[in-house]
Structures are given as C-alpha cells and as structure tokens.
C-alpha cells in the first residue's frame, strides 16, 4: 500500500503545482543518484497538505529538478528554470560543488536556500567551503550541522590516551577536512600518520608485502594497533578483513571507525569482521518513547513510515533524508508565521539570464522569518544561527569491551553533543580479577537498611554500615581494591532535570566525581542511558507502609455472636411463651375441677410459667407438668428452638473470643485506589514517583488502577501527598492516616525495627525491577563486579546478608496486617469482662431483692403479731 502511495505522489503533486490560487510554491533540486530524496520530500509536503491548522488551508505546491552529481552548471540552469516559475524558497540536496554554485545564484536573486549536504560515495562528510557573498547577505542555510567529527575524534583520542596512531582515508574523502584535527593533534604532541586507501583494497595490502621488508612490515603491524578509519562502511569492512587475513591485525588492535552515517546492520558486519577492539562514532537523533507523541512534531503529524522505528523504514533512510524532511517542516513553520502576521510577499518570476533582473524584494523578509524559526523534527531540534548553520548535533560512541566474547559484544560507551560535550568513559585497560592498589570513589545516599551511619570515632573518617555496604566490602575483599565513600551533596538518587542534566548520585557519576554509586538505587532505562549498572543483587518492588489499626476492646463481646435484633426477639419471645404456657395451664386446671380431678402444677402462676421458659432456654431444666397435648407441643417447640439458638451462639462465641479480627480494607493497590479516606504518596521526583507517573499517564494501559493512584500521588504536582525523603514518609505513616508507597525492602525494614510494631507492609507486587551498583558510562569495572555478584548469589552469600538485615522472625510480625492471627492460646480477661459484669449485676440485684423481701416481711410480722396475741388470750379465757 505504501509503495502504491509513493507511486501516486508525483501525479498528485503535479496536479497541485498547477493550481492557480496557490500562493506557496517551492523548488527542489536533487541529484539523480539520490534514491530517497524526492520520495521523502513529497512525503513531507503530503503530511503538511493534510494538516489545515498549519497553513490555514493553503497547500504547498512544488517543482522538482534532478541533476547529475557534482555538476554545478546543470544545477544553476535548473535553479534558474525554477525561479522563472516563481518560488518562495529553494530546497536542495547535493554535493559541495553544486551547492557552491547554487549559493552564489540564490545570494544574487535573494531566494532563501536550504541546503542539505550529501555524502560522496558513503565516505565521511567534510565541510563545504562556501564563497562569501559580495553584498554580505547570505541566503543559503545549511540544514545539516557543521562537521564536528574532528572534535569527537580528538576527545576520543584524549580519553584513550593514544600518543601514536594512523589515519586511513579513502579516495572520495576530502583530506582538507582533517586539517583542523591535525593542527590540534600537533599542538598536543601526538604522532599522527596518514594513508590513502584506494578502491582496490586487496591490491593495497598486496603491495605492502611486495614493497616492504619483514622489519618494515613488523613496524607497520605495530602501527595498525591504533588506527582511525575514515572510509565508507563497506570499505572499512573490506579493509579490516584484509588486515586480518594478511595477519597484520592482532587481538590487541584497536580500530576506530568514524562516519556520521552507518546503520546497525553495517556495524554488526564491521564488528564481526574484526579482530581486537573496535569503536564506532556515528550521528544519532533523539528518540521519543511515547507512542502517542512519537509521530507528532509542533502540532504536525508525521506519516508513520519515517517516524516509527518499528516500521523498519527509518533504517533504510540516510541522514540527509531526515534533514530534508525537517527542512520542509521548517519552511512550513515560516510560511505559517507569515500567514499569521499578514506580511505575505507574493512570488515573482525571476529571469537569471538577464542582467537587468532585480532580486526578489520579499527574499530578505522570508529569510529572516526562516532564521527565527525553531522546530522539533525527525532529527531533533532544528534552528539556524545568524551565520546560517544548524548547531544541534549529537554523536554516540559504540564499542566492544574486553570479555570472553572478544570483539563481538557491542554497546554504547559514551555520547557527545554540541552543548554538553563528552559523556562516558573509554578506559581501555583490560581488567583481571586483581584490583590491588586501586582506590575508588564511592557516592551514596543514606537509606535504611542499605546504607546507615555507624558509630564514629571523633577525628576518624565517617563510617557506614548496611546491606549495600557489606556487599561493597565483599567485593573489596575479593578483588583487593579500596574505596572512599561520601554522601551525595543533595541526598538524592538521581533525576533528570528540565535542562537535561542529572542531580544526585547519577549526576556525580556523569560528572566523574565518583566511580561508583551504591545504595537502594534501582535500575531504570532512563538511568542506564547515562550510566552503567551491574547485575541486580536484590529484587525490587513497591510496597505500602501503613499503620496497623488499633485493637478495640469490647467488654460485652459475648453479645457479638448475635445481632441486636436477634437479642431483642429472643427477649420478647420468652414472656410470650411463658404467657401461653400460663393460659394453657389455667385451661387444664378448669377442666380438672369440672371433672373433680385434683392436679397441682408448678406453672399455676404467670411468674412460675415464665421462670420455667427461662430455665429451659438457659438449659437448666425446670419442672413442667405437660399433661395436655397442647402443652407438650409448646414445650417441644420451645426446647427445639432453645437447642438451635444455644448451639449457634456457642459456635459463634468461640470464634469471636479466640480470633482477633484486626481488619483493614486496604490490602492491595487496587484497594488503595478505590478508597478516598486515606491519603497516600511517595517521595517526589523519585524512581517510584516517575514509575506511577509513566503508568498513570499512559493511555495505552487498560488497568485504571494506575490512573487513580497517580491522580492522588501527583495532585498539585506532588506537593499535596508526596514527601521529600523516605524517612519523612516512614514517620508520617507511623503517625497514622497516611499510606507511604516506597521500596518494599525499605518499608519492611522500617516495620521490622519499629519499637512499637505499629506499622505493617501490604500491597501486591508491582514494578518488579532490581537494585544494582551504578558506575560511570563505559566503566571497565562493570563486568567484573557483575561476575562477583553472580558468584555471591550462587554461593548463598547474598541470602545470608538478606536474612541478617531482613529477619523473617522477630519481635514484629510483617504478616499480622494481612492475615487474621490468634492473639494467643489463652483468652484474655477483656474477652470475659462482660460475663463477669452480668454476674456482678445479677448478684447485686439478688442482694437488693433479698433486702427488700426482708424489710417487707419484718413489717408484715409486726402488723400480724398483736392480732395473734389477742386471739391467744381470747381463746385462753374462753377455755
């Protein structure tokens, strides 16, 4: 489908170019051997034409001319033809010869000219020497930045501490481009040799053996141990292969290949053809990881082919193609601002062949508008300085390191850009297991239990202890090195600032003030872009530190098995059944009297009936003369009811008295996200903070848990719920009404060592990463440290250290928050406090009733006593 679209592009835009109402027309000149230039140019114009917001529904029309390579005369002819049609600007992608001629023409005609320099024969690019304009007004703008390979090479040679080396360049390379490098190398006292390499490389090496004696060949072989290759990728591969086959290369050879344009596949072929170490310098462009904004630049959507690395189309493009796309985008930006300011200058048809032709009067204004522009495109930031150059350029230095896979393991060693300069390390000395006599600078951040301040002696250097310190001591003892440790000035792990620099321990490594950084530092992709990490020595995840809910003592817990409504119904049903029994008993008594039967019943009174019902309920018996069938049905039903109620009560009471239900609704991050009562947060600008931010703002993540968590964590830019340090977060969680989200190892240690055992750790495992030792980019100690850490894991030494600092058994129980635990085999007093209270109330009530009965009976006896005496004397007299 994409191929079909590109086949249709010339026809589509030919139609656009004849629109009479179009006010935007640009010209383009490309070399015939440039396969992708016209394709990328048309794709850029197509993207702009589909976006009405940029050019206010105006469409860009264009005319393309093709010329032979290095043919200045044809270039001028085609440019004059374009100016006759009327153009606002000229975009070209040619070599230096054609560009010089076009520069003179556009300066004379006042036509803005954006020039994209093409490499000659895939050789490294050299500076195009433009002629100064007679009027002092230069209308040519160089889209590609100035050639900075000399600066990068000189920095690399300085880092490698080379004193003598040879530079090979091919026949297409302009040797004048090395003049500045050679001058600086001479001032530094470096011994530099130059040798031109013909296209027939095998013949070059064959001539060496025919023209040189054995002693000279040995000296030449020694020279080849340090070599810089300014060749095309294919030429460099052939050159190294011939050097290997002729036994002129050895395992201690170091090849430095320099070319702005070399892709990954060519690097792999180059490395696998080499013996020894190889270093590659190439230009790179900033990549955008977020899929949502990767294809959007300055509110302009780029087609998926050139912007998405997964499409594979980018690998087919040359650097000049990318700058060509951004040049069209830069022109569109200028046209947009012209349309907004309503300062549009109409196009004029210019005849180059007439001496009387005046330059375009709108050229200066259009040039100034372009120079004031700044865009972010496929190549990163593009803008032009006053001299017409684009200053933004970045290089990466790739290379192989000394390892068992010698010369085959490629990784990034350093970077270089026009603003920050060199960042990385290119130490060449191969390391063995013995680092005796080496003293390393170690930067750290206090974090329990990884790094803590030990008891220090007055006048002695500060001493440290902790899990990470013990690992560092193990490495020091095994490898024989010593280390000096200091704390990061700002006390931070390392976060990238808005200006691109890093703070904390990562910043100390980047600025080479420290060799190693160790603490609870996690391995993240952002950090690995600027520093190196060893293998992980401890797994990492995020946990929730939360205060345990206080146990609430209820002395009337014996009522807990039944709900209040159940107790109310039971209390009501006892007198109801008692009344029913009393009524049935009275009916039975009436029947007995009518049939002259004598029957005595214990339930002849209402009081006695209720007492019988209560006695049966508490399973204490109670006599009942159930002579009638109705009475027996009532009592049978009541006994069955009593059996079920008492059995249920006994079972539930046992559970309520022996199980401590210290329940808390927050057990997972999902639970935390759903509730709104308990605030929570983490350390602002930490790796945990950035993790929740990236997950919470990623629209592709289907789980809304992270979005809800980030809404609370990032509230008011993190100032509402986040803290400045882990220790502050732990203290805040211990005070209560706050959940602290942090490294699970740190919060587990805080829970284990809490004096009051008042906090617990919960949460399902997320963000599974690892802790590692950070080193400078390209550090030679990374592999040997990683090897020792793997040995510690296999031998079980790391497990011993983990058990020491995170004991599973101790005074505080980490799992008491998550699982219901027994308070103990013996029930506590408060569990039976309610029973004792009821007994006490019953005893007091009985004493009170007994006192009342005694008082009542004594008063009654006094009233009855005189009557009894009077009756006695009357009976005695009568007798």
């Amino acid at each position: 489908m994409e191929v079909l679209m590109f086949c249709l592009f010339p026809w589509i835009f030919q139609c656009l170019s004849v629109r009479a109402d179009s006010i935007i027309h640009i010209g383009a000149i490309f070399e015939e051997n440039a396969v992708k230039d016209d394709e990328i140019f048309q794709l850029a114009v197509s993207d702009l034409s589909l976006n009405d917001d940029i050019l206010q529904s105006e469409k860009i029309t264009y005319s393309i001319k093709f010329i032979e390579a290095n043919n200045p005369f044809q270039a001028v002819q085609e440019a004059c033809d374009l100016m006759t049609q009327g153009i606002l600007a000229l975009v070209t992608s040619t070599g230096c010869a054609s560009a010089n001629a076009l520069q003179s023409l556009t300066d004379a005609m006042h036509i803005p000219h954006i020039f994209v320099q093409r490499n000659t024969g895939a050789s490294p690019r050299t500076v195009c020497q433009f002629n100064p304009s007679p009027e002092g007004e230069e209308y040519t703008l160089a889209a590609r930045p100035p050639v900075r390979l000399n600066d990068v090479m000189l920095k690399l040679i300085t880092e490698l501490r080379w004193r003598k080396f040879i530079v090979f360049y091919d026949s297409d390379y302009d040797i004048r481009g090395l003049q500045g490098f050679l001058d600086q190398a001479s001032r530094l006292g470096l011994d530099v040799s130059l040798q031109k390499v013909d296209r027939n490389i095998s013949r070059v090496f064959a001539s060496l053996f025919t023209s040189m004696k054995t002693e000279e060949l040995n000296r030449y072989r020694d020279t080849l141990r340090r070599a810089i290759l300014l060749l095309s990728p294919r030429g460099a591969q052939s050159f190294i292969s011939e050097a290997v086959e002729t036994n002129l290369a050895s395992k201690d050879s170091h090849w430095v290949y320099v070319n702005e344009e070399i892709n990954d596949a060519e690097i792999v072929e180059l490395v696998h053809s080499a013996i020894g170490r190889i270093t590659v310098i190439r230009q790179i462009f900033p990549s955008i990881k977020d899929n949502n904004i990767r294809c959007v630049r300055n509110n302009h959507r780029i087609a998926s082919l050139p912007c998405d690395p997964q499409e594979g189309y980018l690998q087919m493009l040359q650097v000049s193609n990318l700058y060509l796309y951004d040049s069209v985008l830069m022109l569109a930006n200028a046209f947009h601002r012209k349309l907004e300011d309503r300062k549009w200058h109409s196009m004029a048809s210019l005849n180059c062949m007439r001496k009387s032709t005046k330059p375009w009067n709108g050229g200066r204004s259009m040039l100034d508008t372009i120079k004031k522009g700044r865009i972010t495109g496929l190549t990163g930031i593009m803008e032009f300085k006053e001299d017409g150059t684009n200053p933004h350029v970045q290089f990466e230095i790739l290379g192989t390191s000394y390892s068992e896979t010698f010369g085959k393991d490629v990784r990034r060693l350093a970077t270089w850009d026009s603003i920050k300069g060199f960042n990385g390390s290119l130490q060449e000395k191969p390391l063995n297991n013995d680092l005796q006599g080496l003293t390393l600078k170690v930067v750290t951040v206090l974090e329990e239990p990884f790094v803590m301040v030990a008891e220090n002696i007055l006048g002695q250097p500060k001493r440290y202890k902790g899990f990470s310190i013990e690992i560092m001591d193990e490495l020091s003892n095994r490898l024989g090195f010593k280390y000096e440790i200091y704390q990061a000035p700002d006390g931070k792990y390392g976060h990238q600032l808005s200006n691109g620099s890093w703070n904390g321990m990562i910043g100390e490594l980047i600025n080479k003030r420290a060799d190693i950084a160790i603490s609870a530092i996690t391995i993240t992709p952002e950090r690995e872009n600027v520093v190196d990490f060893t293998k992980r020595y401890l797994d990492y995840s995020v946990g929730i530190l939360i205060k345990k809910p206080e146990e609430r003592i209820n002395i009337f817990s014996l009522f807990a098995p039944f709900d209040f409504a159940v107790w109310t119904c039971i209390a009501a049903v006892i007198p109801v059944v008692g009344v029913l029994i009393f009524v049935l008993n009275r009916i039975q008594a009436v029947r007995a009297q009518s049939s002259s039967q004598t029957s005595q019943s214990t339930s002849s009174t209402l009081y006695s009936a209720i007492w019988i019902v209560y006695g049966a309920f508490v399973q204490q018996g109670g006599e009942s003369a159930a002579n009638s069938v109705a009475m027996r049905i009532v009592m049978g039903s009541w006994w069955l009811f009593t059996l079920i109620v008492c059995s249920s009560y006994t079972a539930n009471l046992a559970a309520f008295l022996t199980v401590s239900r210290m329940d808390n609704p927050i057990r997972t991050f999902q639970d935390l996200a759903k509730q709104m009562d308990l605030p929570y947060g983490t350390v602002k600008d930490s790796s945990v903070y950035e993790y929740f931010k990236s997950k919470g703002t990623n629209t592709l993540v289907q789980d809304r848990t992270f979005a809800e968590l980030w809404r609370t964590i990032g509230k008011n830019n993190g100032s509402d719920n986040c803290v400045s340090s882990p220790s502050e977060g732990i203290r805040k969680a211990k005070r209560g009404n706050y959940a602290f989200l942090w490294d699970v190892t740190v919060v587990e240690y805080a829970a284990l060592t809490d004096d009051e055992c008042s906090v617990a750790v919960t949460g399902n495992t997320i963000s599974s990463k690892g802790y590692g030792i950070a080193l400078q980019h390209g550090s030679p100690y990374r592999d040997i440290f990683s090897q020792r850490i793997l040995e510690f894991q296999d031998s079980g030494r790391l497990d011993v250290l983990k058990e020491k600092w995170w004991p599973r058994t101790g005074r505080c129980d980490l799992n008491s928050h998550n699982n219901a635990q027994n308070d103990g085999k013996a029930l506590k007093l408060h569990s039976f406090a309610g029973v004792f209270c009821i007994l006490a109330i019953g005893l007091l009530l009985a004493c009170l009733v007994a006192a009342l009965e005694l008082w009542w009976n004594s008063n009654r006896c006094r009233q009855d006593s005189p009557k009894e005496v009077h009756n006695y004397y009357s009976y005695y007299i009568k007798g």
Side-chain angles (χ1 to χ4, degrees), residues 586-604:
R586 296 297 294 174
I587 294 173
Q588 182 181 355
V590 172
R591 288 171 54 194
Q593 290 177 0
S594 63
S595 60
S596 302
Q597 295 180 356
T598 57
S599 176
Q600 294 182 351
S601 176
T602 57
S603 57
S604 58

Side-chain angles (χ1 to χ4, degrees), residues 241-258:
S241 298
E242 288 290 336
V244 172
E245 291 175 5
T246 56
N247 201 27
L248 290 176
S250 59
K251 286 190 175 182
D252 62 342
S253 297
H254 190 170
W255 311 92
V256 176
Y257 179 71
V258 182

Side-chain angles (χ1 to χ4, degrees), residues 372-667:
K372 293 176 182 178
R374 176 187 172 99
I375 65 160
T376 302
L378 298 178
T379 60
I381 298 175
M382 175 180 281
E383 61 181 342
F384 296 108
K385 297 195 298 185
E386 192 59 34
D387 59 356
T389 60
N390 175 16
H392 299 283
V393 64
Q394 185 178 8
F395 295 91
E396 72 173 352
I397 301 174
L398 305 171
T400 57
S401 57
Y402 294 92
S403 61
E404 294 179 1
T405 57
F406 200 89
K408 309 299 181 187
D409 192 14
V410 182
R411 62 189 179 91
R412 178 185 286 185
L413 303 177
T415 58
W416 187 97
D417 61 55
S418 54
I419 299 175
K420 304 174 191 173
F422 185 85
N423 176 29
S425 176
L426 300 174
Q427 300 240 2
E428 189 180 11
K429 178 184 175 182
L431 296 177
N432 300 317
N433 292 337
D434 187 11
L435 300 181
Q436 293 287 345
L438 192 64
T439 301
L440 302 177
K441 291 280 286 184
V442 179
V443 62
T444 189
V445 167
L446 296 181
E447 184 78 271
E448 295 181 354
F450 291 87
V451 179
M452 299 177 287
V453 177
E455 295 181 3
N456 293 295
I457 303 174
L458 187 62
Q460 298 292 329
K462 184 177 288 188
R463 298 172 59 239
Y464 297 87
K465 65 178 181 179
F467 179 71
S468 297
I469 298 298
E470 293 202 13
I471 291 179
M472 201 68 200
D473 290 339
E474 291 282 346
L475 292 172
S476 176
N477 295 332
R478 294 286 185 93
L479 299 175
F481 67 89
K482 298 180 179 179
Y483 66 90
E484 298 175 356
I485 190 168
Y486 72 97
Q487 295 182 35
D490 57 3
K492 297 183 179 297
Y493 286 97
H495 173 74
Q496 190 172 16
L497 305 177
S498 57
N499 59 4
S501 63
W502 286 75
N503 60 6
M505 293 192 294
I506 301 298
E508 296 293 299
L509 292 175
I510 293 175
N511 296 320
K512 296 182 172 55
R513 289 189 287 268
D515 301 304
I516 297 172
I518 190 165
S519 185
I521 183 169
T522 52
I523 304 172
T524 64
E526 294 77 17
R527 290 171 178 169
E528 278 200 304
N529 284 334
V530 292
V531 298
D532 284 346
F533 279 95
T534 62
K535 298 291 184 183
R536 65 170 67 182
Y537 60 81
L538 186 65
D539 291 331
Y540 162 88
S541 62
V542 180
I544 305 172
L545 184 69
I546 191 170
K547 188 176 178 63
K548 294 179 182 178
E550 296 180 358
E551 184 179 6
R552 290 171 293 183
I553 298 176
N554 183 10
I555 63 174
F556 293 102
S557 58
L558 73 158
F559 293 112
F562 289 161
D563 187 62
F564 177 76
V566 177
W567 285 116
T568 303
C569 292
I570 292 174
V573 79
I574 291 176
V576 170
V577 175
V579 170
L580 181 60
I581 291 175
F582 171 74
V583 171
L584 292 176
N585 189 62
R586 296 297 294 174
I587 294 173
Q588 182 181 355
V590 172
R591 288 171 54 194
Q593 290 177 0
S594 63
S595 60
S596 302
Q597 295 180 356
T598 57
S599 176
Q600 294 182 351
S601 176
T602 57
S603 57
S604 58
T605 64
L606 179 61
Y607 168 79
S608 300
I610 295 177
W611 177 253
I612 290 173
V613 173
Y614 176 75
F617 179 76
V618 296
Q619 298 182 345
Q620 297 302 315
E623 298 179 3
S624 174
N627 298 325
S628 66
V629 176
M631 182 76 74
R632 290 172 181 172
I633 293 174
V634 171
M635 293 305 298
S637 301
W638 177 247
W639 289 337
L640 180 61
F641 171 80
T642 301
L643 176 65
I644 296 173
V645 170
C646 291
S647 299
S648 301
Y649 176 81
T650 304
N652 268 8
L653 181 63
F656 272 82
L657 291 180
T658 57
V659 176
S660 175
R661 298 188 179 274
M662 297 171 61
D663 194 16
N664 193 296
I666 299 174
R667 299 177 183 272

Side-chain angles (χ1 to χ4, degrees), residues 29-77:
I29 297 178
F30 306 132
E31 293 182 348
E32 292 174 345
N33 59 356
V35 180
K36 298 279 184 186
D37 280 353
D38 60 323
E39 186 175 294
I40 288 295
F41 179 84
Q42 295 180 47
L43 181 61
V45 177
S46 173
D47 291 342
L48 290 167
S49 299
L50 295 175
N51 194 336
D52 294 336
D53 295 335
I54 296 179
L55 297 178
Q56 301 178 5
S57 75
E58 291 292 336
K59 303 297 181 183
I60 296 179
T61 61
Y62 67 90
S63 297
I64 298 178
K65 299 291 184 179
F66 295 94
I67 62 172
E68 298 176 355
N70 298 319
N71 191 336
F73 180 77
Q74 185 185 8
V76 170
Q77 279 187 322

